[in-house]
């Protein structure tokens, strides 16, 4: 068993704590664990989220499952040496992010999680980037449950995954409920989701909590979710996340939420309504809503979240919380590890106050063959760029970028498409391409989903109606669109678009125009309207590779957004994209 059974005096003390017995003659109600003495039970929750294929360390030596294994083992040893225990959870999205993992259906990632000793994971939306037979393979491979209370099989009417699992941790029974964002039905690949229904997490969790309470099955109830954390519940065009979930429950029903999806370090300013200016290695105060702690550890295994809990007087207390960096480096002005020696990516400096975490040899031996597989193909140089092609999530989802335009142009100009303009959802842009040589690895990192490219045809009037929705999708969402070959003005407040020109042809409501779009977006992904489009059955990454190989030399100036081509206005002023409205 992963969790050791407690014996003798420790077991007696825990029973006393759970039954309310107090060994002290003093009737004073303890206010600290030290005052409660043997009536206080401790345990530690460790958590990660949004692994996205990062089973191996980065090119700079950051994160990776081998170092994560060493760190978690060290924490386990420390916790168990003082008679306590650890629960290890994942907030989901194990799939999709780097070629080595994507090409092998995240098998190395799930094997790595088994070796590290995860206890449970939330099902993420990117678990459905693959057909359900791959999901089933991963479920069988995992030595831990994949939890989701709000995903149903339409045919049987039953939940597709287990809704929760009860863990016995240091004498406490802790129920962990899994929940997945309902946006999965829109941002997941529609062809793989036909037989699944994603129901309201706020409704489902109430059902499950009642079931757990009626059965007297747990002392504490946690949730591991893949729904996103949005400060003060301002989720914008995203589905409601963890804050809304906590606010929808009665205080005391849910003790903690271990989350994922928004891929941010949930570290709050006092008052819990805004994020702290968190930098690597900083202190972190998790959110708390209606008595529910809410935690998230950024992404990719860069951190292991550590929450040390104390339970006494029938109440849960957070004794300490931190995000522990996993070999993270000091960043430069561009958000990449600063090199002490030019060109030497191993010459970086660890975040102050941290020390090098050695990689676990056993994990390295198991995962190395997966890392090496296919390297020759991935490292072939297919072209070069004279500057950075920007695809970072915190930029490409907020403004037009040269990489967004390049992707839209590559698809619209592909020989089997040859359309007037291109639309690229920013959620399909997963990384930047730095200046220098471009390899197939770079291409697959930017576009890992394997979506097919499609061609659509519409009258001008219908294009305007379509863009009234697509062009006004708010920033900070995967639906924020990158455009190429079109000039227009977007009124965010009125949700209306004025098209001025398409492909140098001018614009008329009565003329027909063609545009490229991914099959994912055409099928309604990322909240786009469902449209009729002809798939050319060629993956987007292959189209991008063809474009780069044909051009060979990419000049960023050819793709930089041109001022005035696409303008957004809101509240009487010009903005870079339509702002997100708070959603409670």
């Amino acid at each position: 068993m992963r969790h050791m059974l407690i014996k003798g005096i420790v077991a007696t003390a825990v029973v006393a704590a759970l039954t309310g017995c107090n060994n002290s003659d003093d009737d004073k109600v303890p206010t600290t664990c030290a005052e409660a003495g043997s009536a206080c039970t401790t345990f530690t929750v460790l958590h990660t989220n949004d692994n996205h294929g990062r089973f191996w360390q980065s090119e700079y030596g950051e994160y990776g499952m081998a170092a994560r294994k060493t760190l978690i083992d060290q924490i386990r040893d420390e916790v168990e040496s003082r008679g306590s225990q650890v629960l290890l959870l994942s907030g989901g999205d194990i799939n999709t992010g780097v070629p080595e993992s994507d090409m092998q259906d995240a098998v190395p990632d799930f094997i790595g999680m088994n070796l590290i000793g995860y206890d449970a994971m939330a099902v993420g939306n990117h678990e459905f980037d693959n057909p359900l037979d791959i999901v089933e393979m991963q479920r069988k491979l995992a030595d831990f449950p994949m939890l989701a209370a709000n995903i149903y099989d339409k045919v049987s009417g039953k939940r597709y995954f287990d809704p929760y699992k009860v863990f016995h941790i240091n004498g406490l029974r802790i129920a962990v409920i899994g929940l997945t964002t309902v946006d999965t039905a829109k941002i997941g690949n529609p062809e793989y989701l036909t037989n699944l229904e994603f129901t309201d997490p706020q409704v489902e969790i109430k059902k499950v909590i009642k079931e757990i309470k009626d059965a007297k099955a747990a002392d504490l109830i946690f949730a591991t979710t893949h729904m996103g954390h949005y400060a003060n519940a301002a989720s914008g065009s995203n589905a409601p996340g963890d804050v809304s979930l906590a606010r929808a429950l009665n205080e005391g029903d849910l003790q903690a939420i271990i989350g994922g999806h928004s891929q941010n370090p949930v570290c709050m300013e006092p008052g819990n309504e805004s994020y702290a200016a968190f930098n690597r290695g900083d202190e972190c105060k998790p959110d708390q809503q209606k008595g529910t702690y809410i935690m998230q550890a950024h992404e990719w295994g860069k951190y292991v979240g550590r929450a040390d809990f104390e339970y006494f007087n029938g109440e849960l207390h957070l004794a300490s919380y931190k995000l522990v960096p996993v070999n993270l480096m000091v960043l430069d002005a561009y958000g990449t590890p600063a090199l002490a020696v030019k060109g030497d990516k191993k010459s970086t400096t660890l975040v102050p106050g941290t020390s090098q975490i050695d990689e676990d040899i056993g994990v390295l031996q198991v995962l190395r063959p997966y890392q090496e597989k296919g390297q020759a193909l991935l490292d072939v140089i297919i072209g070069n760029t004279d500057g950075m092609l920007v695809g970072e999530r915190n930029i490409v989802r907020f403004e037009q970028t040269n990489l967004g335009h390049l992707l839209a142009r590559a698809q619209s100009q592909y020989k089997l498409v040859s359309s007037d303009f291109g639309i690229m959802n920013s959620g399909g842009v997963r990384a930047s391409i730095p200046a220098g040589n471009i390899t197939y690895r770079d291409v697959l990192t930017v576009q890992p989903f394997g979506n097919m490219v499609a061609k659509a045809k519409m009258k001008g009037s219908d294009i305007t109606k379509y863009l009234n929705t697509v062009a006004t999708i708010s920033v900070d969402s995967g639906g924020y669109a990158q455009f190429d070959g079109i000039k227009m003005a977007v009124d965010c407040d009125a949700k209306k678009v004025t098209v001025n020109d398409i492909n140098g042809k001018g614009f008329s409501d009565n003329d027909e125009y063609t545009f490229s779009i991914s099959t994912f977006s055409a099928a309604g992904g990322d909240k786009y309207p469902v449209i009729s489009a002809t798939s050319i059955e060629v993956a987007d990454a292959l189209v991008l590779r063809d474009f780069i190989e044909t051009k060979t030399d990419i000049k960023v100036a050819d793709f930089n957004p041109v001022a005035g081509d696409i303008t957004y206005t809101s509240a009487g002023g010009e903005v870079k994209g339509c702002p997100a409205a708070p959603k409670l």
Side-chain angles (χ1 to χ4, degrees), residues 200-220:
D200 187 343
Q202 296 182 21
V203 173
E204 294 298 332
I205 195 170
K206 291 174 183 176
K207 293 179 186 176
V208 178
I209 288 174
K210 183 178 186 303
E211 178 183 338
I212 293 169
K213 286 186 172 182
D214 287 349
K216 295 181 172 56
D219 306 300
L220 299 169

Side-chain angles (χ1 to χ4, degrees), residues 143-161:
D143 290 339
F144 48 87
M146 299 170 68
L147 301 176
N150 66 313
I151 302 178
Y152 284 83
D153 184 320
K154 290 180 181 178
V155 177
S156 67
K158 298 179 180 179
R159 288 188 173 104
Y160 193 77
F161 299 94

Side-chain angles (χ1 to χ4, degrees), residues 119-168:
D119 292 301
M121 66 169 275
V123 175
N125 58 286
H126 282 292
E127 269 59 90
F128 300 100
D129 291 340
N130 304 303
L132 289 185
D133 62 339
I134 301 300
V135 178
E136 285 303 309
M137 176 275 292
Q138 293 173 348
R139 175 154 45 175
K140 292 176 183 176
L141 178 61
D143 290 339
F144 48 87
M146 299 170 68
L147 301 176
N150 66 313
I151 302 178
Y152 284 83
D153 184 320
K154 290 180 181 178
V155 177
S156 67
K158 298 179 180 179
R159 288 188 173 104
Y160 193 77
F161 299 94
D162 291 338
Y164 71 95
K165 183 175 175 62
V166 176
F167 297 92
H168 295 264

Side-chain angles (χ1 to χ4, degrees), residues 26-39:
D26 189 353
D27 290 334
K28 177 185 176 182
V29 177
T31 58
T32 66
C33 189
E35 289 180 2
S38 60

Side-chain angles (χ1 to χ4, degrees), residues 214-460:
D214 287 349
K216 295 181 172 56
D219 306 300
L220 299 169
I221 301 177
F222 281 28
T224 181
T225 69
H226 194 83
M227 295 168 52
H229 182 278
Y230 308 104
N232 200 27
S235 55
S237 60
N238 302 298
D242 295 333
V243 174
S244 295
L245 180 73
R247 290 178 177 179
L249 299 174
N250 295 323
E251 187 162 350
D253 278 355
L254 186 66
Q255 279 69 54
I257 297 172
I258 308 299
H261 186 52
S262 51
Q263 295 179 225
N264 54 328
V266 175
C267 305
M268 310 303 294
E269 293 285 4
N272 298 321
E273 292 187 0
S274 60
Y275 294 116
F278 178 82
N279 294 307
R280 294 179 166 200
D282 285 355
E283 296 296 317
C284 181
K285 176 182 179 294
D287 202 353
Q288 190 175 25
Q289 300 287 334
K290 293 183 73 173
T292 300
Y293 297 107
I294 308 176
M295 304 165 180
Q296 187 176 158
H298 201 189
E299 62 186 3
W300 304 357
K302 293 176 180 177
Y303 303 88
V304 171
R306 174 176 178 171
D308 293 302
F309 287 105
E310 299 171 343
Y311 182 72
F312 58 93
N313 294 341
E315 295 180 353
L316 187 67
H317 306 268
L318 183 61
S320 66
Y321 182 74
K322 62 182 67 175
L323 293 180
V324 185
V326 183
N327 290 338
L328 295 188
M329 309 296 177
V330 174
L331 299 180
D332 61 20
Y334 299 99
T336 56
L339 303 183
V341 179
K342 186 176 181 180
D344 181 5
K345 292 184 177 179
K346 298 297 184 182
S347 69
T348 49
T349 303
L350 285 168
V351 169
T354 66
S355 56
Q356 183 69 32
I357 300 169
D358 293 333
E359 294 183 297
D360 182 90
I361 299 301
V363 172
L364 282 179
Q365 289 177 339
V366 172
L367 297 185
R368 180 172 283 110
Y370 294 99
Q371 174 66 10
E372 293 175 347
K373 188 176 181 180
Q375 290 295 302
L377 173 63
L378 295 177
D379 290 329
V380 170
I381 296 172
I382 61 174
N384 65 80
T385 172
D386 65 353
M388 173 77 77
L389 294 167
V390 179
E392 294 300 319
R393 178 190 178 103
N394 62 349
I395 301 176
V396 77
R397 295 191 180 201
F398 290 84
E399 62 185 85
Q400 301 293 299
T401 75
N402 50 24
L403 181 55
H405 284 219
L406 186 151
L407 294 171
R409 192 176 307 176
Q411 295 181 9
S412 66
Q413 294 183 356
Y414 188 65
K415 55 184 176 290
L416 298 179
V417 178
S418 188
S419 59
D420 293 313
F421 70 101
I423 300 175
M424 180 70 211
N425 64 309
S426 62
V429 187
R430 306 305 287 189
S432 294
I433 298 178
N437 290 331
I438 303 173
T439 66
Y440 189 34
R441 181 191 306 278
D442 296 321
V443 168
L444 289 171
T445 303
V446 170
Q447 293 195 296
F449 301 129
N451 292 314
M452 302 299 171
V453 176
K455 181 177 183 177
K457 179 187 288 188
M458 290 183 186
K459 285 180 59 176

